[in-house]
Amino acid sequence: MAVNKVNEDLLRERARYTFNIEELTNFIDGGEEGTRNRREVEDMVIHVKELHDEVPEDYLSHKERYENAVKKGCILIDLLKEHVLRHSSFDAYKPSNMYRVLSMAKEVSPVLLHMGMFVPTIFGQASAEQQEEWLHKALMLEIIGTYAQTELGHGTFLRGLETTATYDPSTEEFVLHSPTLTSYKWWPGGLGQTANHCIVVAQLYSREKCYGVHAFLVQIRDSETHMPLPGIKVGDIGPKLGFQTANNGFLGFDHFRIPRKNMLMRNAQVLKDGRYVKSKSDKLTYGTMMLVRVMIVSDAAYELSRAATIAARYSAVRRQSMPRPGQPEPQILDYVTQQHKVFIAIATSHALRLTGGWLWDAYSSLTHDLDQGNLDQLPELHALACCLKAISSRDSNSLVEQCRMSCGGHGYMSSSNFPTIYGATAATVTYEGEYTVMLLQTARYLMKAWKEALGGIVLTPTVAYMVTYNKAKPAWVNTPEAIIQGFHAVAVGKVKEAADGIEYHQNSGKDYEDAWNAASVMLVKASECYCRAIICETFWKEIQKHSRSMSRNLAVVLQQLSELYLSYWVLERSGDFFQVRTVPLTRTKFEFVSFASPKCHCQMCTGFVAHITSVVVLAVQVSIQNLTLTFCTRKRNEFDIGSC
Ligand SMILES: CCCCCCCC/C=C\CCCCC/C=C/C(=O)SCCNC(=O)CCNC(=O)[C@H](O)C(C)(C)COP(=O)(O)OP(=O)(O)OC[C@H]1O[C@@H](n2cnc3c(N)ncnc32)[C@H](O)[C@@H]1OP(=O)(O)O
Ligand SMILES: Cc1cc2nc3c(=O)[nH]c(=O)nc-3n(C[C@H](O)[C@H](O)[C@H](O)COP(=O)(O)OP(=O)(O)OC[C@H]3O[C@@H](n4cnc5c(N)ncnc54)[C@H](O)[C@@H]3O)c2cc1C
């Protein structure tokens, strides 16, 4: 049988590395132990023949595809359980670990929601007694759950959910009911045929009073027969853009009774006589969503890294066209347009991975604070989780599509794996908080921060620069740090612009809600810019921090990747940078000028870096005196193919 020979072009490209591959691998895995763990799991998986498809999934029926996914899910979960039990360091809920293992089956797993939301909800919202009863069963998959919150009529507006849970003190039970068609749960993964339990989010009623949405653990199928229990209507919602084996389903209740103890009572409680005990914050019910949003940032990075790897390899081996008559067809990797498509995908996968790790650390610190009853960091972390989930999933999905397109017709094949990766990342832009809605949530936080900044109040870390502009006159020099300061200036400008927009509409007679709506496009933009500034700054600072403990060759390349990322986004947002005309930020002097302003001139280079080892560092130099912006370009290395 012909032995698969590695493509010579690929071998030649790999021989040109200027850094130690194992060192980079360890960096990506979070250290040598992370690489060892990952390889151990991959070695376990790669040798399981049942995980390899004889027939492409696309040629299977929906039923065969689902059964195939269930089989693979069981195998992978057994590996995960064995590995978690054997290696306490393999923490299934650190970013990406659990998702990594499940995604080795290519198609999304019908037990993704069990692992990704059902178990974490028990961790985060069940009382100690309830964890005692359910956690081990869930971790060992003796019960299989999902997270049933979204309804046919409401996904974003949680306070509008219609499913009711009414307490009956005479029997010490909650009666779950779906009063309307729109109240049917719709979307929960695994609900179609897989889950026999679920977390149900419903409006809690006791003593004729509504206390808002709370979470309940509900058995919906018989543990022996797997048939729906009496009073339960459940099934599959049908075909989707992707995620075909996620087994998304619908669920309706007809006066379905559960014991009082099945209300998750870590935060709020209902006593036997029906008295309601309020939690420290009713937003703690939303805790699982914050966890998954935090995980999505790292997993969006992971999916993008897969797509970028496919595109980079294809670009090395694909030869096409003949720019010079009689010469061999060049590798498409040598076309600057191809580099412009692929290199930003590589840089972004690193940017999002490092930002996801930073966010995970912030989330871990918050959960520790919450355990101590300290909710101070909750608002900022909610705002961060919202905008980073939105931007990371959107960037990942659009760059996955860009990688696909960079591979021509072969990128359109299912065998390229781009369609599966695209389907997975497209879903994350919507689920766990729809893109626009998440950015508007962050905007809510930014509007408050802006008011505090104007009052000179010291702000939380990620918005502190809104005040510092009032004090330190930035001595902006030609460095990446200058670009980051530029992104801060753009973010502050957009926040101010949105706040002024709300004020303008209120002054013209609108109430706050209408003024907010009228300014909402600017509010979304302000959140995008705030988030981009965070990713740029975190990426750059993480690379600087890790560079100190890595070999110089690797540090150089990673530094160039982070500079490429900064340069790319300055070019992408050059309009916003042009608009920023900055004197030390004070209330009255900070203003945006229109493009037409005679004072704003710029020699922005429109070229793009020709090769990953040569980075054009764009920096913003602001001459405070004459209020002009001069973008100067400084070529770090050879051949900048672009032209102004
Ligand atoms: C890339 C490939 C794959 C990646 C895989 C990911 C990782 C794998 C792990 C798990 C797999 C998961 C698979 C997921 C499948 C999908 C599941 C779902 O989609 S579950 C359903 C998700 N639904 C949502 O996210 C709903 C979104 N809506 C909301 O969150 C809320 O309705 C709202 C938009 C925030 C508005 O809520 P509400 O009206 O109550 O609030 P406001 O009035 O706007 O604000 C009130 C104050 O409350 C604060 N707030 C709101 N939410 C939170 C929160 N979560 N935490 C903390 N604080 C919160 C808000 O800031 C307001 O505060 P103030 O301004 O008043 O101080
Ligand atoms: C693949 C997939 C898997 C899912 N899995 C689950 C699951 O397991 N469990 C679960 O509970 N849910 C799940 N969901 C549902 C998901 O959480 C919702 O789809 C999501 O929250 C969006 O809600 P919606 O679908 O009602 O859209 P809507 O909220 O109706 O949004 C529609 C449009 O209205 C806009 N909009 C809505 N509100 C506002 C506002 N206040 N201001 C401005 N614009 C607004 C949005 O921006 C969007 O453009 C899943 C969804 C998908 C796609």
Side-chain angles (χ1 to χ4, degrees), residues 98-99 112-113 115-117 147 149-150 155-159 189 243 281-284 286-287 289-290 292-293 295-296 299-301 303 378-379 382 386 396 424-425 428 430-434 437-438 441 444-445 448:
M98 174 274 301
Y99 179 72
L112 177 66
L113 261 292
M115 295 303 294
M117 293 196 81
Y147 184 85
Q149 173 178 289
T150 302
T156 288
F157 184 47
L158 296 188
R159 287 181 289 137
F243 253 47
S281 161
D282 56 7
K283 297 311 170 193
L284 293 174
Y286 296 170
M289 291 184 284
M290 184 187 280
V292 176
R293 289 167 189 160
M295 289 200 282
I296 283 173
D299 292 300
E303 289 295 340
L378 187 59
H382 168 56
C386 285
S396 171
T425 52
T428 54
T430 299
Y431 72 48
E432 216 56 71
E434 190 277 329
V437 166
M438 290 293 98
Q441 273 296 296
R444 191 179 164 123
Y445 176 78
K448 288 203 178 94

Side-chain angles (χ1 to χ4, degrees), residues 148-149 163 176 185 198-202 214-218 251 253:
Q149 173 178 289
T163 302
L176 291 178
K185 294 302 179 185
C198 56
I199 301 297
V200 174
V201 179
H214 289 71
F216 301 83
L217 196 147
V218 185
L251 169 64
F253 297 102

